[in-house]
Amino acid sequence: MKIALDPHMHRHLSLEDTCRLTAELGYDYIELSPRPDFLQWWTRPRVFPERVRSFKKAMKDHGVSLATLQPMYRWSSPYPDEWEMAMDNWKRVIQIAVEMECETLVSEFGRGGSDERSNADREGRHSPEACENAFWRSMDVLVPLLEREGLTLSVEPHPEDWVETIEPAVDIIKTIDSKAVKASYIAPHSFYYGDDLAESIRCARDVLVHARVADTFNHKASSGLRYIVNPPSSTARVHQHLDIGEGEIDWDVFFKTLHEIGFDGVLSSCVFGWEERAVASSRFMREEIQRYVDKYWNQ
């Protein structure tokens, strides 16, 4: 089991200071989400030999390692130029993962083309079918490269992706049928995945290698009025990434079910909601995750 910190709330720190803080907070692993000085959103990674050397040295000095890297590119875009650039960037990320000795990449199925172009398109947002077809083209390109380099790509359905729920996402991953492509379960997306937390986790049992830990409220509860988005017809997707215990996820069910299916992958603390107390939040999450791991894995 690798317990990792997603340091998004600490992104004002340099990569080197991120390594230091990660160790001080009690984590052995970093889940490096997008940041301007490494894997930038949508554009070419800002990675060069000096930066790689400095980052690797800092990890060694502080006794931490990379559990995952998170590239975010428009691999599900039906726009040919966006898709081609996404493939170029993904190929570079695979090289970087090898350089950084990071065996696992995590990403999302994607929301299609860029918002600006999709919203300006006369037909509105691209259809789920068009986005899925672009994704399959991406798999044709990337899976052989991942397999050749011995890397694992773990993919998550995300609210507003062309696939939001867990079962079809798992079906797609199984259809890819490669040891290089696996599934992520994102706890704060649980109420989008399905109505039964344990069953949602169990359906991914054969492909689950990565889970993100943060709490959220059930947006479907109280007749859909747990929180309100205006206008009422809005298609906005709202969820939170809060400390354990601040939302409505049943954490005993979550961790107990992960244990029952034999999960032994990456567990990452992925709280975004408390930048004003980021250090305290990250320390609390490390302690709480360990408490549940001890309860269900280390008895």
Side-chain angles (χ1 to χ4, degrees):
M1 186 85 70
K2 295 180 179 180
I3 300 176
L5 172 67
D6 180 338
H8 180 77
M9 291 196 297
H10 311 284
R11 63 194 179 280
H12 62 285
L13 297 176
S14 67
L15 289 164
E16 293 78 12
D17 279 342
T18 297
C19 297
R20 172 191 54 77
L21 179 63
T22 299
E24 289 177 358
L25 293 172
Y27 295 84
D28 296 322
Y29 296 95
I30 299 170
E31 174 157 286
L32 198 66
S33 49
R35 48 183 288 155
D37 60 352
F38 209 77
L39 301 187
Q40 173 67 298
W41 288 81
W42 317 130
T43 61
R44 187 60 56 97
R46 312 286 171 82
V47 180
F48 44 86
E50 180 184 350
R51 182 160 286 168
V52 168
R53 286 193 297 269
S54 180
F55 190 12
K56 291 179 75 171
K57 181 180 184 301
M59 286 194 290
K60 183 177 180 180
D61 289 347
H62 294 286
V64 297
S65 303
L66 273 179
T68 66
L69 289 169
Q70 184 182 1
M72 289 296 295
Y73 301 117
R74 293 189 172 96
W75 60 0
S76 293
S77 175
Y79 295 115
D81 59 325
E82 290 184 349
W83 183 87
E84 290 167 7
M85 184 54 65
M87 290 301 94
D88 288 346
N89 290 336
W90 264 103
K91 291 173 185 176
R92 176 63 183 127
V93 165
I94 289 172
Q95 294 174 344
I96 292 167
V98 173
E99 292 176 53
M100 296 302 302
E101 302 175 62
C102 181
E103 298 178 353
T104 304
L105 302 169
V106 298
S107 196
E108 302 169 5
F109 281 95
R111 271 144 267 179
S114 60
D115 287 343
E116 296 83 359
R117 291 173 71 172
S118 296
N119 291 334
D121 194 303
R122 290 183 180 180
E123 297 178 0
R125 278 192 176 273
H126 286 290
S127 69
E129 297 94 322
C131 297
E132 180 172 350
N133 288 336
F135 173 82
W136 281 108
R137 288 183 61 212
S138 298
M139 293 299 99
D140 290 341
V141 172
L142 297 178
V143 170
L145 301 179
L146 295 163
E147 290 177 342
R148 185 187 70 195
E149 299 295 349
L151 301 177
T152 299
L153 167 63
S154 190
V155 192
E156 61 161 287
H158 190 284
E160 204 191 2
D161 279 6
W162 51 268
V163 54
E164 293 186 335
T165 53
I166 196 71
E167 289 189 15
V170 169
D171 284 348
I172 290 164
I173 289 165
K174 290 183 176 180
T175 301
I176 294 169
D177 192 25
S178 170
K179 64 181 181 181
V181 183
K182 300 295 182 180
S184 295
Y185 189 96
I186 314 303
H189 304 166
S190 291
F191 297 111
Y192 286 95
Y193 287 169
D195 294 324
D196 188 316
L197 175 61
E199 284 305 310
S200 293
I201 294 172
R202 289 189 192 110
C203 88
R205 71 164 65 236
D206 298 324
V207 292
L208 190 62
V209 298
H210 169 246
R212 283 183 167 149
V213 181
D215 217 334
T216 192
F217 291 104
N218 182 357
H219 64 284
K220 294 180 285 189
S222 194
S223 303
L225 297 175
R226 178 72 82 225
Y227 45 79
I228 297 169
V229 177
N230 290 320
S233 59
S234 172
T235 58
R237 298 292 189 266
V238 180
H239 64 279
Q240 299 81 28
H241 283 242
L242 304 172
D243 289 351
I244 286 174
E246 294 181 329
E248 296 179 283
I249 291 175
D250 188 325
W251 290 105
D252 277 298
V253 170
F254 178 83
F255 284 102
K256 181 175 184 288
T257 308
L258 285 178
H259 176 259
E260 287 174 351
I261 68 171
F263 179 82
D264 190 30
V266 177
L267 276 174
S268 65
S269 170
C270 192
V271 174
F272 301 149
W274 300 116
E275 291 187 359
E276 64 271 29
R277 54 175 186 83
V279 169
S281 171
S282 297
R283 182 175 286 115
F284 169 82
M285 289 295 290
R286 179 65 182 87
E287 294 169 354
E288 280 295 280
I289 292 171
Q290 188 65 56
R291 184 171 69 85
Y292 281 105
V293 169
D294 288 342
K295 181 176 182 177
Y296 290 107
W297 278 266
N298 297 334
Q299 291 181 343

